[in-house]
Amino acid sequence: MLTPPRTVVRREAGLYALERALQRRGFRHVAGADEAGRGACAGPLVAAAAVLPEGRRGEVEGLADSKLLTPASRERVYAEVVDRALAYAVVVIPAEEVDARGLHVCNLAAMRRALASLTTRPEYVLTDGFGVDGLGVPGLAVWKGDRVAACVAAASVLAKVTRDRLMVELDGVFPAYGFAEHKGYITPEHSAALREHGPCREHRFSYVNVAAVSGRDGRPPRARRPGGHRPDEPMERSWASGGTVGVALGEQPRPPTPVGEDVAMEGGVR
């Protein structure tokens, strides 16, 4: 397998320096992957992958780690990434799958699926924090990659904006929890709502704080729990409960396939 000669890229060289160095070594299409929602105790885990074009076309004004951007800036940068990217993919892992398979397994599987869904095949892959194997191309796990590599930052924005939009939708279904404000993360307000109302079906019951208020004596179950729904809750979900959905540019996602860890699922691409 082709690997690049040793190259030193200094952090102060800027967000595009690592990709440009790889491109100079012959890796034209460098993909970045990142996720949003690891630390949340409610809602889905969302992963995204993106390949930005070479040169000025691939430079997105204001691009940065999604956590450093305001909501309005993230939306603007999201639109720019979608417009400029050679390819991108977004994968949504529902809360029940996180419970059943475990967070870390789902995190790696989601990034692998997103990368496998790119219509422009990457020649090199950069991931945020965790290495992802089984891709068939060389790759590098970059510490705080969303602050070091533009393609990872782009994936970070795609994942964060997609997840935030889903959490706002869930707030309309479960208004008691304030999902639109805290996006499912553990805040004093969210914890108070959990104690008062108990968890809903979008909470992650494998998380200790959710299990503690679920009537299971604080023991996090490995598998998903309540099956029913409240009379005032719609049966539909905003995404396919079977595993993944794609979001993008008018292309219809293919029907979900079984959720095996190594199965590539269709994402939004262009």
Side-chain angles (χ1 to χ4, degrees):
M1 180 181 294
L2 181 64
T3 56
R6 179 175 174 80
T7 300
V8 176
V9 179
R10 300 187 183 279
R11 184 180 295 268
E12 60 268 22
L15 194 61
Y16 296 89
L18 180 53
E19 282 164 83
R20 298 293 182 259
L22 287 166
Q23 288 162 352
R24 287 195 298 270
R25 296 293 185 179
F27 298 94
R28 292 188 57 204
H29 298 142
V30 181
D34 200 3
E35 52 71 32
R38 276 182 62 90
C41 67
L45 178 71
V46 178
V51 178
L52 297 175
E54 299 176 80
R56 295 292 297 273
R57 174 67 182 170
E59 296 180 6
V60 178
E61 183 180 357
L63 180 61
D65 173 8
S66 63
K67 297 183 289 297
L68 302 179
L69 299 174
T70 65
S73 295
R74 278 197 299 267
E75 289 284 349
R76 182 187 60 77
V77 171
Y78 175 95
E80 282 290 304
V81 170
V82 167
D83 180 60
R84 291 170 180 263
L86 293 178
Y88 71 94
V90 178
V91 167
V92 177
I93 303 293
E96 58 263 37
E97 187 176 340
V98 174
D99 281 343
R101 297 180 58 77
L103 176 66
H104 188 61
V105 169
C106 286
N107 186 38
L108 296 182
M111 287 198 290
R112 185 180 296 113
R113 295 172 194 173
L115 289 161
S117 298
L118 294 169
T119 51
T120 298
R121 179 174 172 79
E123 298 167 359
Y124 201 94
V125 169
L126 300 172
T127 54
D128 184 33
F130 301 100
V132 179
D133 58 11
L135 299 175
V137 296
L140 178 68
V142 183
W143 175 248
K144 293 190 179 297
D146 43 12
R147 301 186 187 187
V148 176
C151 58
V152 179
S156 170
V157 170
L158 292 172
K160 173 66 173 169
V161 170
T162 299
R163 188 177 187 280
D164 282 358
R165 291 175 178 177
L166 291 173
M167 295 309 296
V168 170
E169 290 181 19
L170 286 177
D171 185 71
V173 181
F174 304 98
Y177 299 96
F179 289 151
E181 296 299 321
H182 53 67
K183 307 301 189 293
Y185 288 91
I186 303 170
T187 65
E189 295 75 17
H190 191 186
S191 297
L194 268 172
R195 289 192 297 271
E196 181 178 356
H197 303 288
C200 72
R201 68 171 182 254
E202 297 302 333
H203 280 95
R204 300 176 187 176
F205 282 67
S206 55
Y207 280 46
V208 171
N209 68 314
V210 177
V213 296
S214 67
R216 295 179 178 269
D217 299 321
R219 296 189 303 272
R222 287 295 300 165
R224 202 65 177 159
R225 40 21 166 138
H229 69 288
R230 299 175 186 172
D232 58 339
E233 295 171 359
M235 292 292 289
E236 305 92 282
R237 300 287 300 280
S238 25
W239 58 85
S241 60
T244 4
V245 299
V247 188
L249 301 179
E251 180 172 298
Q252 295 297 317
R254 298 172 187 167
T257 55
V259 178
E261 181 186 351
D262 295 316
V263 177
M265 315 266 297
E266 181 69 11
V269 291
R270 73 183 287 250

